[in-house]
Amino acid sequence: MADELPVTRFESEIVDLVKKHDVVVIIGETGSGKTTQISQILHRAHFTASGMIAITQPRRVAAVSVARRVASEMNVRLGEEVGYSIRFEDRTSDKTQIKYLTDGCLLRELLSDSELKQYSVIILDEAHERSLNTDVLLGLLKRLAGRKCPDLKIVITSATLDGEKFSSFFSGCPVMKIPGKLFPVEVLYSTEQPINYIESAVQTALEIHTQEGPGDILLFLTGKDEIDKAIKKLEDRIRLLEEGSCMDAVILPLHASLEPELQVRVFAPSPTTCRRIIVATNIAETSLTVDGVVFVIDPGVVKQHQYSPATGMYSLVVVQISRVQATQRAGRAGRTRPGKCYRLYTETMFENELAAVTVPEIQRSSLTSAVLHLKSLDLKEVNVLEFEFLDPPSRASLEDALQQLFIIDAIREDGSITSLGKRMAVLPLEPSLSRALLAAEEASCLNEALTIAAMLSCESLFVANSKKSSSNKRDLEFKNLPDGKGLGDHIQLLQIYEEWREDGFRAEWCEQHGVKTRSMMFARDIRKQLSQIIQWESKGSSRYKQKGPDLVALRKSLCIGFSNRLAHRMQRHNGYRTLGTKSQLVQVHPSACSMEVDDDGLLPEWVVYNELVNTGRPYIRNVCAVEGSWCQPALKKLSSLSVNKLGGTQSNSGQRAKQEEKETVQTEKAGLEKPSAVQKEVVAAARRPLFEGPKNIAFCTKAGDYVKDMVCCLQGLQSLSVE
DNA sequence: GAGCACTGC
């Protein structure tokens, strides 16, 4: 079977190239067999004599399934000659020669073995996906290649024709191209830009269903909401079709937040008697492959997470896909036989308006973790601001990361890493959370803080209610859950975990309480891993309280991680350009001080709320973001004050923003150039004299876009007034 | 009444 793969025809060429060069780029289209074969080819050429071959994958499932396949092709037991290593699971042994691992795992290994001495070859697979981890690895491997580690060979594999870019990054290394095994896909463009792409997509699906021959349909949308909406439309209209006029249809949703049992339905063999219409998010673009798809409908949009170093916040925005993504989507129609791809945009738009490639993740993310990682590697002669990235992030983004790290005591003013920073880098957590753990260790409440950190690391704890009518039922379920004693979300998370633990970690407990079993199990694994790491690091000297948790100490510890970040924001908004010390912050902002050192150990959101209640006006100056359950009362209180014209009630403005987003989704870009209706109102309100003294407002997150809008606007105002 | 793409340590 392996002989049929295109890559095997190039065996001797690949071996020659890798022997002659330190770095080789291999471009292999889908179906070329590069992921399973290149490791075996290099193994046969005895590269494993001097060390293991590592192949990185962006995803866990891929690392596991590919390792399994290679082991069976080589007729060895998994975990012996061929193994894999992912978080929570290391299936390698002394015998292992070929090791598949996630890119994040290899990055972790670099922390303890900075020259990767145990490997002879590193293969960075799927480099075109440009995950944050892959990009950091690319930069680090460039430093290792050649001079520093003369025996280490590096192979970069990618699916797009972006070989020249990789090659010039690695000082002109050779590029080899291997053909793929995709069937031709006919691409059809819209003649005009649809006003509503969901409606247009549903129409197209119906036309295919009633007019085309057999073959499943894959429709890309941006999120769960849209998917549910489209499915309802499709179901309604297919029901209206005349009985027997066409084949039956099964409509299936596919997105990451779907219960695994429902996700599996998409991978069951396609029934011959009816057509499947799969309505999916981007998950079907790379992560999951659905067999049997012959028709792809591509509205050309995707929901993207992007970080703004100016506001220090992430937003989810709907953006146009790139031409690379469009090609990838089309390719999904040609895996089993020739297919068709319907693009719901014009050819002119494809040529002229779509970006050639997707903005790499490294330019859309907070770099705090990545920079801390680089700092902890102790690379001499390296200034992070000048670190060589394939696509360098903006200077603002790097400076933001450095400032955040300084604020949480991870680096000094000269940029060197502190001993605290070194310990934080080893923890697989967002640095501010690592900082909170170390503070908790100091305050003898590590046990509880570990639980909170683990609970914060798993997404969507609560079971989603599918129907609106069940919301009452959901409320009942929530009544059985701890409420955090009015001390905030973090304490509530701790209490939930504690109750589950006391109950013996049972799945039934989760089901009874409306909590996702999978998330709780995940939290348990993370907690175990964190506690192992932090105790190795502190050489087993961590202290535990024998009695119940000291909640005040615990919340204070969390503040050291989180509220410093808050103070940092305020500092920046007050126009401090240089890195300040904490005593300066105290002068800038009394609340920043009280948040950090207050004996009550109050959480920031509580501080905000308290100030509102006690003083009747926000004492907090300038913009800041507050996380937690107190944001709702705080927001209400604030809107009952003089700020009540801030775009009406929260839900109204939210709806308005949504509506506007719908209308302008194809063209509107995020940012300040085109303020939304909400933004305009906020700007107007902020211009009205509210309080004496500097014009300033404190705000709370968890109210989503609304607050982001405000922060963006006030940012804009601030810079105006500076001029 | 939040949460809302996808990964990963």
Side-chain angles (χ1 to χ4, degrees):
Chain A
M1 185 187 117
D3 303 295
E4 294 164 25
L5 290 165
V7 68
T8 49
R9 295 202 300 270
F10 297 87
E11 173 148 3
S12 59
E13 210 179 330
I14 291 173
V15 172
D16 283 352
L17 272 180
V18 176
K19 273 188 181 154
K20 277 187 205 143
H21 300 90
D22 295 323
V23 186
V24 175
V25 174
I26 298 179
I27 305 295
E29 296 296 326
T30 314
S32 62
K34 59 185 164 61
T35 302
T36 54
Q37 301 307 309
I38 295 176
S39 56
Q40 296 183 58
I41 288 171
L42 295 178
H43 173 59
R44 286 197 286 271
H46 307 296
F47 277 96
T48 39
S50 56
M52 284 188 281
I53 296 178
I55 307 97
T56 71
Q57 293 292 317
R59 280 171 288 280
R60 295 160 56 92
V61 270
V64 176
S65 64
V66 176
R68 193 162 283 152
R69 216 170 94 205
V70 170
S72 95
E73 280 180 18
M74 284 174 59
N75 223 350
V76 298
R77 227 185 290 165
L78 184 68
E80 297 191 348
E81 285 85 352
V82 178
Y84 65 85
S85 178
I86 57 176
R87 188 181 193 180
F88 306 134
E89 209 181 341
D90 183 358
R91 288 196 69 176
T92 58
S93 61
D94 298 343
K95 284 186 180 174
T96 303
Q97 294 181 306
I98 297 179
K99 175 169 165 184
Y100 285 85
L101 74 176
T102 48
D103 45 19
C105 250
L106 188 64
L107 268 179
R108 288 283 141 195
E109 289 189 3
L110 270 161
L111 286 176
S112 52
D113 175 13
S114 61
E115 291 175 15
L116 298 169
K117 290 193 191 74
Q118 48 172 335
Y119 300 104
S120 60
V121 185
I122 306 284
I123 304 175
L124 278 194
D125 201 15
E126 316 285 0
H128 61 276
E129 288 194 24
R130 304 292 307 277
S131 75
L132 181 56
N133 287 338
T134 309
D135 269 22
V136 174
L137 278 173
L138 277 169
L140 287 169
L141 288 178
K142 179 174 177 168
R143 291 175 51 82
L144 290 183
R147 52 195 178 99
K148 200 161 183 191
C149 303
D151 300 327
L152 186 68
K153 298 291 186 181
I154 293 161
V155 179
I156 315 286
T157 81
S158 170
T160 53
L161 294 170
D162 223 6
E164 296 312 318
K165 184 169 182 176
F166 287 111
S167 168
S168 64
F169 182 68
F170 285 101
S171 27
C173 71
V175 179
M176 198 179 146
K177 289 179 182 145
I178 296 169
K181 256 174 72 176
L182 269 186
F183 293 93
V185 175
E186 186 187 348
V187 175
L188 303 145
Y189 290 94
S190 289
T191 46
E192 57 185 30
Q193 196 62 33
I195 299 162
N196 178 336
Y197 61 78
I198 301 180
E199 177 57 31
S200 169
V202 167
Q203 292 284 358
T204 310
L206 282 171
E207 279 163 30
I208 297 170
H209 180 53
T210 51
Q211 290 163 25
E212 293 277 355
D216 295 341
I217 302 172
L218 175 59
L219 161 58
F220 286 99
L221 289 174
T222 67
K224 181 179 182 300
D225 230 37
E226 285 186 3
I227 290 174
D228 292 346
K229 217 178 280 173
I231 287 180
K232 193 170 179 309
K233 280 190 179 196
L234 279 167
E235 278 171 349
D236 288 349
R237 291 187 211 174
I238 284 177
R239 211 174 296 128
L240 293 177
L241 292 175
E242 214 175 303
E243 186 95 21
S245 67
C246 58
M247 64 198 310
D248 289 338
V250 184
I251 306 166
L252 299 170
L254 180 62
H255 48 84
S257 48
L258 205 65
E259 324 275 307
E261 308 89 84
L262 295 178
Q263 269 189 30
V264 172
R265 291 193 302 178
V266 170
F267 303 104
S270 182
T272 45
T273 52
C274 70
R275 188 198 303 280
R276 300 189 309 160
I277 304 177
I278 295 135
V279 190
T281 59
N282 232 22
I283 197 171
E285 196 177 290
T286 48
S287 309
L288 299 178
T289 302
V290 187
D291 285 326
V293 172
V294 177
F295 307 99
V296 163
I297 303 172
D298 172 21
V301 280
V302 69
K303 208 179 271 182
Q304 217 171 52
H305 212 189
Q306 53 191 35
Y307 180 77
S308 152
T311 56
M313 280 187 278
Y314 274 100
S315 354
L316 268 179
V317 284
V318 175
V319 296
Q320 269 177 7
I321 59 170
S322 64
R323 292 205 287 273
V324 167
Q325 278 179 290
T327 309
Q328 173 74 17
R329 287 181 173 187
R332 295 275 140 174
R335 294 188 62 90
T336 38
R337 61 188 174 90
K340 282 186 183 175
C341 174
Y342 297 77
R343 291 188 174 150
L344 305 183
Y345 40 91
T346 63
E347 189 164 8
T348 327
M349 188 155 159
F350 175 81
E351 301 288 350
N352 302 329
E353 288 183 40
L354 264 57
V357 294
T358 315
V359 178
E361 201 185 344
I362 198 163
Q363 294 181 340
R364 295 186 275 117
S365 310
S366 161
L367 299 176
T368 325
S369 286
V371 169
L372 182 61
H373 191 106
L374 293 178
K375 290 275 180 194
S376 75
L377 290 177
D378 220 9
L379 306 168
K380 287 182 189 73
E381 91 274 357
V382 166
N383 176 348
V384 172
L385 290 174
E386 277 146 31
F387 187 79
E388 280 190 78
F389 291 104
L390 182 58
D391 283 305
S394 71
R395 195 176 169 94
S397 186
L398 286 164
E399 281 176 357
D400 166 73
L402 289 171
Q403 291 193 20
Q404 303 249 25
L405 289 173
F406 174 77
I407 293 293
I408 56 170
D409 311 309
I411 58 173
R412 300 188 188 87
E413 284 190 63
D414 65 2
S416 60
I417 190 163
T418 61
S419 54
L420 272 181
K422 282 202 170 145
R423 294 192 60 201
M424 283 154 60
V426 191
L427 290 163
L429 290 172
E430 183 197 335
S432 60
L433 208 43
S434 301
R435 181 68 184 88
L437 277 192
L438 297 184
E441 182 190 44
E442 200 56 39
S444 310
C445 49
L446 179 60
N447 248 336
E448 292 75 27
L450 280 169
T451 303
I452 294 173
M455 292 289 277
L456 286 172
S457 299
C458 50
E459 25 86 74
S460 66
L461 187 62
F462 303 110
V463 175
N465 53 329
S466 51
K467 285 171 197 158
K468 291 219 165 130
S469 56
S470 69
S471 65
N472 283 336
K473 194 181 148 211
R474 194 191 68 154
D475 288 342
L476 280 178
E477 283 165 354
F478 272 119
K479 275 183 189 154
N480 293 327
L481 280 176
D483 61 359
K485 296 180 189 162
L487 296 173
D489 291 6
H490 300 139
I491 302 303
Q492 185 189 21
L493 290 176
L494 172 64
Q495 290 173 337
I496 291 174
Y497 188 89
E498 282 300 303
E499 286 206 3
W500 183 54
R501 184 179 64 83
E502 278 160 25
D503 189 69
F505 301 117
R506 288 184 317 129
E508 290 79 5
W509 187 93
C510 302
E511 282 151 26
Q512 283 160 13
H513 291 80
V515 168
K516 284 189 186 172
T517 314
R518 206 161 49 117
S519 300
M520 292 301 288
M521 294 294 197
F522 190 59
R524 192 182 169 190
D525 283 340
I526 293 174
R527 196 188 178 287
K528 194 173 148 204
Q529 188 191 28
L530 293 176
S531 98
Q532 278 171 356
I533 294 173
I534 206 162
Q535 279 166 60
W536 289 331
E537 287 294 307
S538 65
K539 301 182 185 79
S541 68
S542 47
R543 294 157 286 170
Y544 290 108
K545 282 241 165 181
Q546 294 302 309
K547 282 184 265 172
D550 177 352
L551 291 184
V552 171
L554 180 61
R555 300 177 78 202
K556 263 170 94 169
S557 307
L558 290 168
C559 282
I560 290 175
F562 295 135
S563 73
N564 279 343
R565 199 168 57 165
L566 188 70
H568 158 62
R569 289 292 153 212
M570 290 185 272
Q571 176 197 23
R572 179 182 291 194
H573 286 280
N574 274 306
Y576 280 76
R577 279 291 162 103
T578 51
L579 296 174
T581 62
K582 279 192 191 132
S583 57
Q584 278 178 300
L585 281 179
V586 174
Q587 290 167 7
V588 171
H589 198 282
S591 291
C593 167
S594 71
M595 278 174 228
E596 191 197 329
V597 298
D598 196 334
D599 283 342
D600 293 340
L602 296 173
L603 282 174
E605 69 263 31
W606 169 257
V607 172
V608 174
Y609 182 70
N610 238 8
E611 283 193 351
L612 287 168
V613 172
N614 295 338
T615 66
R617 66 169 56 175
Y619 191 31
I620 302 224
R621 296 188 176 166
N622 270 297
V623 187
C624 64
V626 180
E627 295 167 355
S629 54
W630 286 103
C631 71
Q632 284 306 324
L635 202 60
K636 269 191 198 132
K637 186 75 189 172
L638 198 58
S639 54
S640 73
L641 297 172
S642 43
V643 208
N644 57 356
K645 301 294 184 293
L646 279 178
T649 70
Q650 196 192 331
S651 59
N652 279 346
S653 52
Q655 276 167 15
R656 217 175 311 149
K658 253 188 194 164
Q659 208 171 349
E660 175 146 326
E661 188 191 329
K662 246 183 252 161
E663 288 161 12
T664 54
V665 74
Q666 298 284 345
T667 50
E668 175 106 33
K669 283 179 191 159
L672 293 173
E673 311 98 63
K674 279 192 181 176
S676 68
V678 177
Q679 286 178 323
K680 281 177 204 157
E681 281 187 65
V682 173
V683 172
R687 284 198 173 123
R688 265 173 245 135
L690 299 177
F691 318 111
E692 288 175 29
K695 178 188 316 178
N696 302 304
I697 303 169
F699 271 102
C700 330
T701 60
K702 272 206 170 171
D705 293 337
Y706 179 64
V707 173
K708 279 175 202 151
D709 277 347
M710 293 205 297
V711 174
C712 281
C713 285
L714 292 165
Q715 283 271 343
L717 278 187
Q718 193 94 51
S719 58
L720 276 181
S721 62
V722 167
E723 286 168 25

